[in-house]
Amino acid sequence: MQLYLAVPVVLVALLIAASGVAALTRGWVLASNRSPVRRPRLYGWGQLTVAFALCRQMLFLLALDGTGPRQWGP
């Protein structure tokens, strides 16, 4: 397992997920994204989807070593 790749990606996914939860529960969006975001709840669901997809991608990249099963994941 390549931890030098997994640890930063999981940390980024957690930050994205935390921002998505904040957008869903409080309607809070980062200052740099406040003007283009019209619907914070939809934005929050999108961020949670991106965080889930990033973790899923890391799971199939790192957990399935070998050339055969890895191709089925994505």
Side-chain angles (χ1 to χ4, degrees):
M1 180 178 273
Q2 302 161 346
L3 289 177
Y4 68 90
L5 181 63
V7 171
V9 170
V10 169
L11 288 176
V12 167
L14 284 174
L15 288 174
I16 292 171
S19 179
V21 168
L24 278 175
T25 58
R26 306 278 185 207
W28 183 82
V29 180
L30 290 170
S32 60
N33 294 338
R34 282 190 189 142
S35 61
V37 173
R38 303 277 186 226
R39 297 189 300 189
R41 293 183 88 84
L42 182 63
Y43 180 77
W45 279 113
Q47 283 191 318
L48 286 177
T49 304
V50 166
F52 174 74
L54 190 59
C55 287
R56 183 177 175 267
Q57 186 177 11
M58 278 293 105
L59 174 75
F60 281 112
L61 178 68
L62 296 176
L64 300 176
D65 288 335
T67 57
R70 185 185 300 171
Q71 294 174 357
W72 298 345

